[in-house]
Amino acid sequence: MSVTIDIAGLPAERIRFAPSPLAELCMALHALSQTAHHPRLAPWATATTAALDPCLADRLLEADFLWRSSFSDIFMPFAGTPGGTGLPAATLAEELDVLDGLDDERFVTAALEHCWLALYNEGGVPSPLKDPASRARVLEAAAARGPAQLRFSRRLLDDTAAVRVWLRRLLEDCDEAFFAETWQRTGPQQAADARHKTEVLRRKGLPAALREVSAALSVDAAGTTITADKMVDGSTTATDPTIGAGLVLIPTNFGWPHLLVLHAPGWRPVVHYPLGTPEPASSPGSVEQLRRRMDALAHPMRMQLCRSLARAPYTTGELATVCGISAPEVSRHLSVLKKAGLLHTRRQGRYAQHQLDLSVVSRIGSDFIEGILR
């Protein structure tokens, strides 16, 4: 599973690193609403929430589906503006001006992304502002999420202009309440990171720059496709002439463990990557490697073998005796565990001794959480 970005023929100068205050506000709001995703931010989230005006806190609850369980593309309006620069603006106010410039259909479709997740990769979906069937589908999906989502979705469809004004005022009030101070602290760090990675891209090339962004990003040998290792399938292109060619990579201080890839049809692709990612004991594996490890450990006989292998090194013959199965059957199970990277094997004379790598097994829980939230 992965998201791919077609960059065939894209000039190197069209791949840009830049911070975005509006995208960072989205991630800050997400961190406030999903503290379990971001335990390192718990002190900041607790202090910020405690200081919020109760009226502002209630207004945030009205629209929290824009950033709570999915990240609405309205927070990256520069990517959906045909003929625009394709880059974030320097200030939150300027980015909100860009957001105001999105046409109603594009704004509504992006704002209701939580109702379209299954169709996110599909182009040509009729606008719920014009198509009764699409409107009914949106409202049905919103109702399943809860009464607050249904009320907001109806308001958005019935009086789009008023909701747009309401949302801008909400984000401006967030800026006044806590985000201006936060951005003053984090913005320079993000700008420095963008400059550094731009220099890496210029001096060492795209593969080296992507390695510095995230271990989950890679580019093929031909330099035509970027792949983001995520538990979602999707594809997009950075060379769509209708929206303008380009790829933007945006840092965030609030994002880990999320690595976001905007890949909606008709929008420029954007990679939103976390800064300050905790260093694992070893490099985190791919989603496919995680699946192999979980599959390997789920088999009843391999679980029984692991009980012995976790305690001491064993030979194949010893394990066959302990578990009451044949040596060839033990070898088959050990091969699965070895391919999943869960075993240490060492030679002791003419014998091979196997032992479970407890450090790898102990990381599976955290790797799983990072993988599904990435």
Side-chain angles (χ1 to χ4, degrees):
M1 303 180 75
S2 61
V3 178
T4 59
I5 305 172
D6 179 9
I7 58 168
L10 184 70
E13 61 270 17
R14 299 296 296 175
I15 299 176
R16 304 286 294 275
F17 290 87
S20 165
L22 182 55
E24 187 71 335
L25 176 54
C26 173
M27 296 308 300
L29 291 170
H30 170 75
L32 288 176
S33 64
Q34 290 281 31
T35 54
H37 291 191
H38 308 276
R40 295 184 303 143
L41 297 174
W44 172 85
T46 300
T48 301
T49 300
L52 282 182
D53 176 80
C55 180
L56 177 57
D58 288 342
R59 289 159 60 205
L60 286 173
L61 288 176
E62 288 186 59
D64 74 346
F65 56 83
L66 293 173
W67 53 76
R68 183 178 177 86
S69 57
S70 60
F71 303 91
S72 172
D73 292 340
I74 64 171
F75 290 96
M76 298 183 185
F78 60 88
T81 304
T85 65
L87 293 171
T91 68
L92 180 63
E94 290 173 314
E95 290 212 275
L96 291 175
D97 289 342
V98 177
L99 178 59
D100 287 343
L102 285 183
D103 65 72
D104 282 350
E105 289 188 23
R106 193 172 285 252
F107 178 90
V108 167
T109 301
L112 294 174
E113 184 179 314
H114 66 290
C115 299
W116 296 94
L117 289 178
L119 302 174
Y120 186 85
N121 292 315
E122 298 184 15
V125 177
S127 167
L129 291 175
K130 295 180 178 179
D131 181 68
S134 292
R135 176 188 172 95
R137 189 191 311 176
V138 162
L139 293 179
E140 181 180 359
R145 290 298 186 94
Q149 286 86 343
L150 179 58
R151 285 194 300 271
F152 188 90
S153 298
R154 278 185 175 147
R155 284 173 54 204
L156 183 60
L157 293 172
D158 293 338
D159 195 350
T160 304
V163 172
R164 295 183 72 152
V165 171
W166 179 89
L167 181 61
R168 173 159 185 153
R169 177 59 59 86
L170 174 67
L171 298 177
E172 288 173 338
D173 288 348
C174 288
D175 188 45
E176 182 178 347
F178 67 89
F179 185 69
E181 183 277 330
T182 299
W183 185 247
Q184 185 177 23
R185 174 172 48 85
T186 60
Q189 179 185 353
Q190 293 184 23
D193 181 82
R195 288 192 298 270
H196 167 71
K197 288 185 172 57
T198 298
E199 189 65 11
V200 172
L201 176 63
R202 185 180 71 84
R203 289 180 174 271
K204 299 181 180 180
L206 183 58
L210 293 180
R211 283 194 297 271
E212 292 212 6
V213 171
S214 171
L217 292 177
S218 61
V219 62
D220 65 336
T224 61
T225 304
I226 294 174
T227 299
D229 185 45
K230 290 170 61 70
M231 284 193 180
V232 62
D233 285 318
S235 62
T236 185
T237 177
T239 59
D240 183 353
T242 63
I243 188 67
L247 168 65
V248 183
L249 297 98
I250 297 175
T252 168
N253 288 82
F254 290 90
W256 188 88
H258 308 298
L259 174 73
L260 308 180
V261 182
L262 191 165
H263 58 283
W267 291 60
R268 291 183 183 88
V270 179
V271 176
H272 202 188
Y273 63 92
L275 295 178
T277 301
E279 289 295 330
S282 65
S283 298
S286 66
V287 169
E288 176 61 23
Q289 184 185 61
L290 175 62
R291 185 195 63 77
R292 285 199 304 269
R293 287 176 174 173
M294 297 180 72
D295 284 348
L297 293 172
H299 191 281
M301 180 51 68
R302 288 195 285 272
M303 290 179 68
Q304 187 176 341
L305 289 168
C306 286
R307 186 177 187 277
S308 297
L309 293 166
R311 287 165 167 76
Y314 280 85
T315 66
T316 300
E318 289 174 320
L319 290 168
T321 301
V322 170
C323 296
I325 60 176
S326 68
E329 191 173 355
V330 170
S331 294
R332 286 194 294 271
H333 286 302
L334 292 179
S335 177
V336 173
L337 292 169
K338 198 165 189 177
K339 286 179 180 177
L342 297 170
L343 288 186
H344 288 307
T345 299
R346 65 178 183 179
R347 302 296 304 186
Q348 191 79 348
R350 64 190 182 92
Y351 297 101
Q353 295 183 327
H354 311 282
Q355 189 165 19
L356 194 66
D357 189 335
L358 291 177
S359 65
V360 172
V361 176
S362 68
R363 289 199 308 272
I364 288 177
S366 59
D367 286 350
F368 176 73
I369 292 173
E370 181 177 351
I372 60 176
L373 292 179
R374 185 188 295 165

